[in-house]
Amino acid sequence: MANSTALAVSDSQLSPEFIQELLPSAERTALLYHLSFLCLGGFPKLERKIRDQAIETQMLFGSSEAVLLKCAGTSSNLVTSLFPILIKAVEKNKPKLAVAYLEKARKWIKDIIIAVDDMVMRYDHQAQSVKTCTSDVYEEQNTTEEKIKEHTVEMKALEDALAKLETDLKKNESDINAIEERIDKSTEELYYLIINNRSYGYSIFWGFFSRCRSYNDDAIRAKQAELNSLVYEKNSLRNQGWSIKIKQTDLQLKLANCKIQLGEIPSPVHLKEVQKCLDQIRQILVDLNKFWKKVGVTLETLKEKTFVGDVLIEELEDLKEEFLNSIEDAKLDWKRFGECCQRAQGIFSIQSRTAYKFLEVNPSSLSKDEWNKQYESIMAKLKMI
């Protein structure tokens, strides 16, 4: 008789815990698309390409949801229909009924295999499309770099001019500091002369010190003239400094405008990660399909070893208890597998309906604060995964 325990999911190549691998891959896919959309959103041509790929993946997840729902439904049918019928067929010796349901189960499984095969091909095609999109970004990046090279002379001249202005400004500030030190010194000397002049003016020895007073008057006037000259020089240096700063601002704006017009395109590293995630999901579906194919073969083997046409093999009577026990064990595994398929279907449902809402907002319309807020939010979610 057939080794009916082969119907148990635990003996298959695919563990029901495949959901644990599917969840992070699906979540990362949307988040990485979002990052790519943010980083390349300032370039309309590339933004459209990212949007198209994201929408296609969103639709792919919607189709995956339908396939997983079919897997969950088939698992439920095996538990609620096939296994009970097989048990009754063995208990009441009704082989025609059992054979009919085995054929029906084979039809269910064949339909799933075809559907999953189609999904595997679509994921493969989508991964290739993302790869092409990534190449397009690199091509645009190279074109931009060529433009930058063409404008290198202009940008270099602006940068050199800014560097010279920076040097001039530092010298200007140094000269102003030196002038201020000289002004402070001259001011102290002037105060000293004025104070001495007043003391001499009120001295009882006026006649004796009259020449000193005359000398001090001349010294005060000379010091005042020196101080006025220093203040004038300081003001000139200040005006010169403002002029340098104005030139700096002008050149900085020209240089910034030059860079903006050229457009510096970031590398599409996030799209490469999208390809990896899609490939991981594709591989999960490949394993899922191998599993269903194995189940199909197992059912056929069960039929061949248990029935001759639509008649039960005579020796089955002696192994009836073992057969019934193995079916009961398989029921428990298939129920758990069906629940996992439902959870996987739920993951695809969430991803296809809510994870791509970021496409509704044009990234170029975001303020710097809004852009940073979205970026930090995505990175936090990626770290959590």
Side-chain angles (χ1 to χ4, degrees):
M1 188 197 124
N3 178 13
S4 299
T5 56
L7 279 173
V9 179
S10 57
D11 290 335
S12 72
Q13 293 176 346
L14 184 72
S15 168
E17 280 71 30
F18 73 93
I19 185 70
Q20 294 176 0
E21 298 178 13
L22 176 62
L23 179 59
S25 295
E27 288 183 335
R28 278 177 60 83
T29 299
L31 292 171
L32 291 168
Y33 267 129
H34 195 170
L35 273 181
S36 300
F37 199 55
L38 276 181
C39 294
L40 299 172
F43 308 92
K45 179 181 176 182
L46 299 178
E47 179 190 324
R48 286 194 297 271
K49 288 180 179 289
I50 301 298
R51 185 186 297 275
D52 290 344
Q53 295 303 321
I55 290 174
E56 188 63 33
T57 300
Q58 184 181 18
M59 294 173 64
L60 191 59
F61 280 6
S63 299
S64 300
E65 176 190 356
V67 171
L68 265 296
L69 188 60
K70 193 168 188 176
C71 288
T74 300
S75 300
S76 176
N77 286 336
L78 287 171
V79 173
T80 59
S81 299
L82 178 65
F83 294 150
I85 291 297
L86 289 177
I87 290 172
K88 287 182 180 179
V90 172
E91 290 176 338
K92 299 187 177 182
N93 295 318
K94 293 183 178 180
K96 288 185 179 180
L97 185 62
V99 170
Y101 268 82
L102 282 172
E103 284 301 317
K104 182 177 289 190
R106 283 210 318 158
K107 177 64 169 58
W108 296 339
I109 292 167
K110 184 179 179 182
D111 290 344
I112 284 179
I113 290 171
I114 292 172
V116 177
D117 268 338
D118 178 65
M119 291 307 305
V120 169
M121 291 177 62
R122 288 181 62 183
Y123 272 95
D124 186 59
H125 176 74
Q126 181 59 21
Q128 290 299 319
S129 294
V130 174
K131 184 177 180 180
T132 301
C133 179
T134 305
S135 298
D136 291 342
V137 175
Y138 276 122
E139 184 178 346
E140 192 74 14
Q141 193 179 43
N142 291 334
T143 301
T144 301
E145 287 175 357
E146 287 300 320
K147 290 180 181 178
I148 291 175
K149 288 179 183 177
E150 292 174 5
H151 291 77
T152 298
V153 175
E154 179 185 355
M155 293 175 66
K156 184 68 167 57
L158 289 170
E159 289 170 352
D160 289 346
L162 279 169
K164 185 179 183 305
L165 286 176
E166 183 66 27
T167 301
D168 292 344
L169 187 60
K170 287 181 179 179
K171 184 178 183 305
N172 176 266
E173 291 172 351
S174 177
D175 291 344
I176 288 177
N177 289 334
I179 287 291
E180 286 179 340
E181 289 179 1
R182 290 173 61 188
I183 288 174
D184 290 341
K185 183 179 178 181
S186 293
T187 301
E188 289 178 5
E189 291 173 351
L190 179 60
Y191 286 162
Y192 178 78
L193 289 173
I194 291 173
I195 290 171
N196 284 342
N197 191 37
R198 286 175 179 172
S199 62
Y200 293 147
Y202 291 99
S203 172
I204 58 173
F205 302 105
W206 174 258
F208 180 77
F209 289 107
S210 61
R211 288 184 182 179
C212 291
R213 181 183 179 189
S214 176
Y215 169 78
N216 283 340
D217 286 342
D218 292 338
I220 288 171
R221 283 192 291 269
K223 186 58 66 177
Q224 285 177 330
E226 178 187 330
L227 188 58
N228 290 338
S229 176
L230 289 172
V231 171
Y232 177 81
E233 187 175 351
K234 178 183 176 181
N235 290 335
S236 296
L237 287 171
R238 278 182 173 175
N239 291 333
Q240 184 184 13
W242 279 112
S243 178
I244 292 172
K245 289 178 181 178
I246 291 171
K247 288 179 182 178
Q248 269 188 322
T249 302
D250 182 49
L251 290 180
Q252 286 168 347
L253 288 173
K254 287 180 179 178
L255 183 60
N257 187 52
C258 188
K259 289 183 177 180
I260 290 171
Q261 287 180 350
L262 290 174
E264 295 180 0
I265 300 174
S267 295
V269 290
H270 307 309
L271 286 179
K272 287 187 175 181
E273 291 299 315
V274 168
Q275 293 175 55
K276 292 179 182 179
C277 290
L278 290 174
D279 191 60
Q280 288 171 349
I281 296 173
R282 174 188 172 279
Q283 188 57 50
I284 289 170
L285 291 175
V286 168
D287 292 338
L288 182 64
N289 224 23
K290 287 179 181 178
F291 162 73
W292 283 111
K293 288 176 181 177
K294 182 179 178 181
V295 172
V297 172
T298 301
L299 285 175
E300 181 62 24
T301 303
L302 177 65
K303 176 187 171 185
E304 290 175 354
K305 293 187 177 182
T306 308
F307 305 94
V308 176
D310 56 1
V311 180
L312 280 167
I313 294 175
E314 294 179 3
E315 290 81 2
L316 183 62
E317 187 66 29
D318 298 331
L319 302 172
K320 183 182 292 186
E321 186 175 351
E322 179 186 344
F323 180 89
L324 295 177
N325 289 338
S326 67
I327 292 295
E328 288 296 334
D329 291 340
K331 281 172 63 177
L332 295 175
D333 280 343
W334 275 96
K335 182 179 179 182
R336 188 161 63 99
F337 179 76
E339 291 171 351
C340 285
C341 286
Q342 284 184 324
R343 288 201 295 274
Q345 175 255 326
I347 291 171
F348 278 122
S349 176
I350 291 172
Q351 291 298 310
S352 64
R353 294 176 188 176
T354 62
Y356 291 82
K357 285 187 175 295
F358 65 86
L359 295 172
E360 299 173 3
V361 179
N362 189 328
S364 59
S365 67
L366 297 173
S367 67
K368 186 175 180 180
D369 287 342
E370 290 171 332
W371 193 98
N372 288 332
K373 186 177 180 180
Q374 285 198 23
Y375 181 85
E376 290 171 2
S377 174
I378 297 167
M379 294 307 297
K381 290 176 182 177
L382 283 172
K383 289 177 181 178
M384 287 179 65
I385 295 175

